[in-house]
Amino acid sequence: MRVSRFPRLTAVVAAGAAMSGVLAGCAPSSPIDRDSSPSPSASTSAPPPSTKIVTAGPQRDEGPVIRRFPLLQGSVIEGWTAGTLGDDSSDRVPGPSTYWFDTVANVGADRAAAWAGQYHADPVGPPDSVAGALRDVVPSDGFVGGPALDRAFSSPQWQATVYLSPTTGRVVVLGVDD
């Protein structure tokens, strides 16, 4: 009778082969798309339609705004609010949160018009997902925006969607923490 020189190794290899067969039987035959909503485009569009849970604001101090969107330095901050995306139900699985930060600032008509030209902004609809506490300071129409303007306000941490109103000088920035 032949005695195996590596009984433990043989047992481990056999167990691993058996488990891979069991796990392969559990895998779905095709990938499942768990997110039925379309992915947001890089152009000016509102963040995904998740529920905004307000954790801060409305406030008017400029520090938090300038840290996230330095181009607004020297602007009059008309308000900002911040929070997390999702729902506030207690049965949700714990894990990382996606943070949002909305702000409205008055940069003046001249600066707004300069940005509209510099970043090749085109007419867009009004922001539909701005936090409720800021809706009173958001102009009703006349917005421009686009991918170049969004990129100018974005950073490695914050993805910005920018709505610029050249006639009022107001800028609405909807930021999502990447």
Side-chain angles (χ1 to χ4, degrees), residues 112-139:
W115 282 346
Q118 179 181 356
Y119 298 113
H120 312 288
D122 292 315
V124 295
D128 58 355
S129 67
V130 69
L134 298 178
R135 289 190 184 128
D136 290 342
V137 294
V138 174

Side-chain angles (χ1 to χ4, degrees), residues 138-149:
V138 174
S140 60
D141 59 9
F143 289 99
V144 296
L149 189 59

